[in-house]
């Protein structure tokens, strides 16, 4: 089938450098979330296919054409992939939008980031050659030591549907740069461009088995990959619930995992901002970009009471101006939710908020001009208290909840009032305040009371607060910018470990200590047996 003059490819599983039909020959329909039409299908892998892919990956590591390559050699493949992505950018952007409902502008921007990420890790692969074997000075004449950095082995990469090819690249590029053999399992809700990555790898001559791509359902393909005894590591991005299952499966084999899970991120706006509209636009972008389907979305607006009324008035005016349409239309800024099930989930969150006593200040319904597709108006909810579901749980849709504050202390407490710890944002022109929200420290101020017993046994009352965002990512006077050079990840129930940056490469490396005794003299720990 061809839509907008771009054919929907009909692919098989990409294993060992070839397209292979799934063992059980199952396929899954592709549904365009903007029209609800079936536009194609893709293969559904099962445990049998996982076994075949793992064997192919292990063979790749044992062969000279991949297992013995230098970082410089691997960098050439990564740069060739980046060039092919840019060459096919227009086509891939349309496929991405058709598959997951992302606006065409956002899809095209994602592909620029995909190419940039492969280029970045090509540079790091080359640099890895210089520090693959790093001498360590022990200040001893009798020993010589060095640290050896080697590929970790076969890695399983499980990625989400909100940034299909980009999130896959965040894992695939560093895994290949490190010299691992990878098995990518993309989300069943958006797999088209991830399969096209397989075709790109085939075209640039990436050695067979270095990257294998298994599409399919989580329980049938993702679970066997997580628990496979010959997979050395799992890197997962997705929901907290699924992340817990991945971690449990990996734990049975004491297999390392990296988890990038959900978020309920705050954006705190102070009354000292110079330009209300700049703060309003960042607030909109922080929650409504990619139709709110962003793990770092700053979906809790915490705004200083003195400017709340004026800020919300401007926020509504800006929100009304957002174009909601088919994602392939020019100037579309908000497309559909990815699937019927996710659409129903978002609408239930909005309904529950209203039933709990919150006010739907704007939106909360299907746009009247769109009769088909999984569309939700950008939604602003006020009169929220911290016990409400809408305050506590990740919606993963264009839904912003609002609370006000009076003092800086109250703002940071509201911001940290979440089980998640992925990202946070602050809008303020006070450099000292921004520093306080960024840097962990204990400040003696008037807040909750704690009692300590000093060394003389005297009970002392102290007032203190941990004055900083409890997150892995902090944005100052902005929200959502992401760069491949910077580590990406969180704490608390948002997971652990990092994608991107140098840390994104290091997690795919095995670090070996090698120590040599260089002295000709005996060690002389034991008494030498006497000669007869």
């Amino acid at each position: 089938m061809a839509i907008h003059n771009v054919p929907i490819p009909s692919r098989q599983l990409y294993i060992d450098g070839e397209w292979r039909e799934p063992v059980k020959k199952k396929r899954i329909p592709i549904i365009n979330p903007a029209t609800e039409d079936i536009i194609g299908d893709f293969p559904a892998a099962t445990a049998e296919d996982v076994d075949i892919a793992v064997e192919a990956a292990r063979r790749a590591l044992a062969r000279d054409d991949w297992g013995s390559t230098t970082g410089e050699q691997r960098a050439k493949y990564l740069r060739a992939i980046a060039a092919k992505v840019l060459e096919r950018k227009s086509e891939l952007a349309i496929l991405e939008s058709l598959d997951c409902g992302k606006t065409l502008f956002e899809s095209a921007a994602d592909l620029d980031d995909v190419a940039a990420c492969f280029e970045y890790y090509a540079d790091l692969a080359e640099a890895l050659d210089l520090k693959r074997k790093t001498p360590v000075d022990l200040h001893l004449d009798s020993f010589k030591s060095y640290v050896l950095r080697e590929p970790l082995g076969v890695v399983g990469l499980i990625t989400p549907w909100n940034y299909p090819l980009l999130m896959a690249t965040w894992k695939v590029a560093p895994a290949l740069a490190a010299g691992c053999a990878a098995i990518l399992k993309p989300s069943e809700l958006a797999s088209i461009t991830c399969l096209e990555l397989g075709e790109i790898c085939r075209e640039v001559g990436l050695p067979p088995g270095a990257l294998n791509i298994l599409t399919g359902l989580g329980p049938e393909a993702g679970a066997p990959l997580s628990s496979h005894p010959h997979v050395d590591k799992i890197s997962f991005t997705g929901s907290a619930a699924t992340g817990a299952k991945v971690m449990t499966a990996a734990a049975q084999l004491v297999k390392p995992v990296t988890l990038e899970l959900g978020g309920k991120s705050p954006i705190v706006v102070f009354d000292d901002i110079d330009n209300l509209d700049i703060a309003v636009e960042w607030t909109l972008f922080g929650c409504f970009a990619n139709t709110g389907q962003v793990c770092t979305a700053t979906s809790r607006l915490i705004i200083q009471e003195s400017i709340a009324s004026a800020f919300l008035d401007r926020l509504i005016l800006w929100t009304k101006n957002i174009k909601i349409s088919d994602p392939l239309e020019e100037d579309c800024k908000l497309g559909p939710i990815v699937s019927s099930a996710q659409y129903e989930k978002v609408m239930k969150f909005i309904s529950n908020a209203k039933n709990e006593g919150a006010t739907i200040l704007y939106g909360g319904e299907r746009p009247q001009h769109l009769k088909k597709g999984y569309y939700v108006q950008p939604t602003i909810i006020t009169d929220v208290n911290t016990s409400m579901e809408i305050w506590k749980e990740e919606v993963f849709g264009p839904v912003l909840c609002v609370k006000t504050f009076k003092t800086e202390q109250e703002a940071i407490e509201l911001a940290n009032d979440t089980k998640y710890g992925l990202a946070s944002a602050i809008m303020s022109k006070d450099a000292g305040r921004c520093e306080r929200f960024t840097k962990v420290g204990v400040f003696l101020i008037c807040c909750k009371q704690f009692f300590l017993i000093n060394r003389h046994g005297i009970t002392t009352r102290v007032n203190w607060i941990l004055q900083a965002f409890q997150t892995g990512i902090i944005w100052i006077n902005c929200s959502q910018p992401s760069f491949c050079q910077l580590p990406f990840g969180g704490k608390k129930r948002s997971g652990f470990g990092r994608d991107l940056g140098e840390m994104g490469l290091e997690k795919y490396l095995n670090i070996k200590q090698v120590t040599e005794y260089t002295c000709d003299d005996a060690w002389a720990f034991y008494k030498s047996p006497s000669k007869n």
Side-chain angles (χ1 to χ4, degrees):
M1 182 181 295
I3 299 176
H4 293 271
N5 299 318
V6 173
I8 306 298
S10 180
R11 300 291 187 193
Q12 300 292 353
L13 303 174
Y14 185 69
I15 301 175
D16 208 16
E18 299 176 350
W19 296 109
R20 297 193 178 192
E21 187 177 36
V23 170
K24 294 188 175 179
K25 297 179 171 52
K26 293 182 179 180
R27 296 189 72 84
I28 297 171
I30 301 169
I31 299 175
N32 180 350
T35 64
E36 304 179 41
D37 295 331
I38 295 176
I39 59 175
D41 57 34
F42 61 90
T46 57
E48 293 83 354
D49 302 300
V50 172
D51 287 339
I52 295 170
V54 171
E55 290 174 9
R58 290 241 164 253
R59 287 196 300 271
L61 290 176
R63 290 197 317 269
D64 289 343
D65 65 349
W66 185 250
S68 298
T69 53
T70 64
E72 182 180 11
Q73 291 170 319
R74 297 192 294 273
K76 292 179 181 178
Y77 292 120
L78 297 180
R79 292 198 175 98
I81 292 170
K84 276 288 183 182
V85 167
L86 292 178
E87 180 184 311
R88 295 182 58 187
K89 176 182 171 180
S90 296
E91 171 202 355
L92 291 172
I94 291 174
L95 291 175
E96 197 82 294
S97 293
L98 292 171
D99 200 14
C100 68
K102 188 186 293 285
T103 69
L104 189 58
F105 175 84
E106 289 172 304
S107 291
D110 285 357
L111 288 164
D112 287 333
D113 288 345
V114 166
C117 191
F118 274 108
E119 289 281 0
Y120 171 71
Y121 280 107
D123 291 343
L124 290 193
E126 289 176 333
L128 189 59
D129 284 342
L130 298 177
K131 57 182 180 181
R132 178 179 175 272
K133 183 177 178 181
T134 307
V136 178
D137 189 354
L138 302 176
H139 304 291
L140 294 170
D141 294 334
S142 53
F143 289 96
K144 182 172 68 175
S145 289
Y146 59 91
V147 170
L148 195 62
R149 291 172 173 84
E150 295 180 334
L152 192 59
V154 174
V155 294
L157 314 175
I158 304 176
T159 56
W161 45 261
N162 55 335
Y163 291 86
L165 186 55
L166 182 57
M167 289 291 185
T169 298
W170 284 14
K171 300 182 188 298
V172 169
L176 295 182
C180 293
I183 300 166
L184 171 64
K185 193 283 176 191
S187 169
E188 61 268 27
L189 295 180
S191 295
I192 295 177
T193 53
C194 287
L195 284 171
E196 290 312 289
L197 178 60
E199 179 61 14
I200 288 172
C201 289
R202 191 188 66 80
E203 290 176 358
V204 304
L206 186 72
L211 176 63
N212 307 274
I213 304 172
L214 303 180
T215 52
L217 301 175
E220 295 181 4
L225 183 61
S226 299
S227 61
H228 201 286
H230 296 143
V231 172
D232 301 301
K233 178 186 174 68
I234 295 291
S235 181
F236 171 84
T237 297
S239 72
T242 304
K245 294 178 182 177
V246 169
M247 189 173 178
T248 299
Q252 308 311 306
L253 297 169
V254 198
K255 181 185 302 183
V257 296
T258 298
L259 300 178
E260 196 271 279
L261 309 176
K264 190 70 177 178
S265 302
I267 180 168
V268 179
V269 182
F270 283 89
D271 61 7
D272 63 354
I273 52 176
D274 294 335
N275 188 315
L276 211 62
D277 281 338
I278 290 176
V280 164
E281 185 176 12
W282 279 116
T283 300
L284 291 182
F285 187 75
C287 188
F288 298 154
N290 204 42
T291 317
Q293 299 168 127
V294 186
C295 54
T296 55
T298 40
S299 58
R300 292 185 298 136
L301 170 60
I302 301 169
I303 184 166
Q304 198 148 25
E305 194 174 88
S306 55
I307 61 167
S309 179
F311 192 92
L312 289 174
D313 287 345
R314 295 299 297 168
L315 191 66
I316 291 172
L317 286 175
W318 277 73
T319 303
K320 287 180 178 179
N321 201 41
I322 295 173
K323 181 178 178 180
I324 311 170
S325 67
D326 186 297
L328 296 181
E329 285 188 14
E330 188 176 0
D331 295 329
C332 174
K333 287 297 187 290
L334 194 137
I337 298 294
V338 71
S339 69
S340 174
Q342 186 65 20
Y343 170 83
E344 295 297 335
K345 178 182 175 183
V346 171
M347 295 305 290
K348 187 175 181 181
F349 269 114
I350 296 170
S351 175
N352 288 349
K354 188 175 181 179
N355 291 338
E356 286 187 281
T359 298
I360 311 302
L361 187 65
Y362 182 83
E365 300 176 348
R366 167 187 287 278
Q368 292 184 356
H369 67 287
L370 295 166
K371 305 305 179 185
K372 293 190 71 177
Y374 310 125
Y375 290 93
V376 179
Q377 289 176 314
T379 302
I380 302 169
I381 301 178
T382 57
D383 299 319
V384 173
N385 66 56
T386 58
S387 66
M388 290 181 179
E389 177 189 58
I390 198 66
W391 175 263
K392 296 189 293 184
E393 300 300 330
E394 183 179 42
V395 176
F396 229 65
V399 180
L400 178 70
C401 64
V402 184
K403 274 194 70 63
T404 62
F405 68 91
K406 292 181 180 179
T407 66
E408 183 176 315
Q409 172 197 327
E410 185 183 3
I412 194 66
E413 289 180 347
L414 285 170
N416 289 333
D417 181 31
T418 173
K419 61 189 175 184
Y420 296 108
L422 187 51
S424 50
I426 178 172
M427 305 292 295
S428 173
K429 291 303 178 182
D430 185 331
R433 171 184 288 140
C434 292
E435 178 73 10
R436 288 193 295 276
F437 272 62
T438 303
K439 186 177 179 180
V440 173
V442 176
F443 297 84
L444 296 178
I445 59 177
C446 297
C447 63
K448 296 178 182 178
Q449 295 179 346
F450 297 85
F451 293 89
L452 299 179
I453 299 177
N454 66 19
R455 60 191 179 91
H456 300 295
I458 300 173
T459 302
T460 304
R461 178 184 295 173
V462 296
N463 299 321
W464 67 276
I465 186 171
L466 191 64
Q467 190 80 345
F469 285 130
Q470 297 171 5
T471 58
I473 301 166
I474 297 174
W475 294 300
I476 299 174
N477 292 317
C478 58
S479 179
Q480 305 309 310
S482 182
F483 304 96
C484 60
Q485 299 90 340
L486 298 175
F488 187 99
K491 57 188 294 187
K492 296 159 69 172
R493 294 195 192 179
S494 290
F496 50 84
R498 297 293 183 266
D499 284 322
L500 300 183
E502 292 187 14
M503 294 180 70
L505 174 67
E506 289 166 0
K507 71 181 184 182
Y508 297 110
L509 294 172
N510 181 47
I511 309 300
K512 276 184 181 177
Q513 175 221 130
V514 180
T515 300
E516 178 185 358
Y517 183 58
T518 58
C519 184
D520 292 332
D521 296 334
W523 183 232
F525 179 78
Y526 298 102
K527 184 178 180 180
S528 176
S530 59
K531 295 181 181 179
N532 294 326

